[in-house]
């Protein structure tokens, strides 16, 4: 019972740290939680060592891809993509439809190549600026970024950390994995384009128009 409580407490501490802390403090809580689990014997040192060694390639990849995405952003690639999306929309007969189409395709490719984090953190703000630059509502592009960051991350083993785990367990080659997922990826991207085009921004009532229960409206005369 003590071992179970220690494991639950460690997991809860890590979850709270991930939600409310950042940087070194998150690391400190994680180290303390690991020490608690090891100290009470919930996990043996040998098992912990094997788990760390198994996770090292995944963590190493995550660090590398985040560094790469940051370098790409600092090199102006995302701003360049936003410019292409905006320019393509301006030249179209229907700028709104072309804007959504280009945003969906861009988000899908960026997600597949640079992971979902790059799409949400780095690409989404650029697409919002592109929409405003052509006088369009940026909400559909923001929606496209969020949705495609999730659904378009199925194509490559490196598009998503979950893919890496499945890729390792499946025992297939990089190319085989990609060919297996490509048809589903194409269908998903097409479906997301339809969804983003048809979904409308939720209507929000102005705060002044909402009266407290039982209160008479103010006089107008």
């Amino acid at each position: 019972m003590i071992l179970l409580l220690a494991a639950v407490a460690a997991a809860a501490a890590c979850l709270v740290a991930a939600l409310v802390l950042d940087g070194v403090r998150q690391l400190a809580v994680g180290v303390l939680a690991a020490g608690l689990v090891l100290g009470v014997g919930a996990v043996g040192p040998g098992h912990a060592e094997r788990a760390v060694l198994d996770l090292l390639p995944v963590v190493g990849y995550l660090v590398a891809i985040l560094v790469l995405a940051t370098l790409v952003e600092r090199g102006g690639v995302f701003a360049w993509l936003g410019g292409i999306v905006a320019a393509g929309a301006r030249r179209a007969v229907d700028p709104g439809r072309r804007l959504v189409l280009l945003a969906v395709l861009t988000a899908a490719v960026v997600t597949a190549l640079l992971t979902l984090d790059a799409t949400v953190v780095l690409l989404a703000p650029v697409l919002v600026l592109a929409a405003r630059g052509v006088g369009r509502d940026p909400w559909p592009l923001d929606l496209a970024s969020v949705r495609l960051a999730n659904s378009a991350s199925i194509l490559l083993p490196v598009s998503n950390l979950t893919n890496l785990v499945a890729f390792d367990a499946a025992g297939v080659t990089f190319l085989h994995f990609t060919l297996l997922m490509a048809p589903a990826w194409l269908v998903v991207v097409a479906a997301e384009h339809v969804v983003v085009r048809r979904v409308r921004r939720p209507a929000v009532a102005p705060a002044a128009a909402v009266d407290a229960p039982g209160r008479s409206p103010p006089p107008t005369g």
Side-chain angles (χ1 to χ4, degrees):
M1 186 63 179
I2 295 178
L3 301 182
L4 178 60
L5 290 176
V8 171
C14 290
L15 177 60
V16 171
L19 294 175
V20 302
L21 300 179
D22 56 8
V24 176
R25 289 181 294 178
Q26 283 184 345
L27 177 62
V29 172
V31 170
L32 290 174
L36 172 64
V37 172
L38 287 171
V40 300
V43 176
H47 182 77
E49 180 181 3
R50 288 192 300 273
V52 169
L53 292 177
D54 289 341
L55 286 174
L56 274 180
V58 176
V59 175
Y61 164 75
L62 176 62
V63 172
I65 202 66
L66 290 177
V67 171
L68 176 61
T70 301
L71 293 176
V72 168
E73 189 271 338
R74 290 182 179 178
V77 174
F78 288 103
W80 174 71
L81 289 173
I84 290 178
V85 171
R90 289 191 190 98
R91 291 194 297 266
V93 176
D94 188 336
R97 287 193 175 188
R98 179 66 61 84
L99 188 68
V100 170
L101 173 61
L102 293 176
V104 167
L105 293 177
T106 303
V109 173
V110 169
T111 299
L113 297 180
L114 294 176
T115 76
L116 67 169
D117 300 287
T119 300
V120 171
V121 177
L122 301 176
L123 180 65
V126 171
L127 293 180
V128 169
L129 292 176
R132 289 174 176 168
V134 296
R136 294 286 171 169
D137 182 4
W139 188 80
L141 275 65
D142 212 12
L143 177 66
S145 299
V146 173
R147 293 187 63 89
L148 270 298
N150 179 38
S151 57
S153 65
I154 64 174
L155 180 61
L156 305 178
V158 295
S159 301
N160 190 316
L161 290 180
T162 306
N163 295 5
L164 283 175
V165 177
F167 173 65
D168 183 63
V172 297
T173 64
F174 190 101
L175 179 60
H176 189 192
F177 182 97
T178 303
L179 292 176
L180 285 174
M181 300 306 297
W185 184 79
L186 292 172
V187 171
V188 164
V189 172
E192 292 289 16
H193 176 238
V194 173
V195 170
V196 173
R197 276 188 52 192
R198 297 197 176 275
V199 172
R200 295 290 180 262
R201 179 195 289 267
V204 179
V210 180
D211 297 322
R215 180 181 297 178
S216 300
T220 58

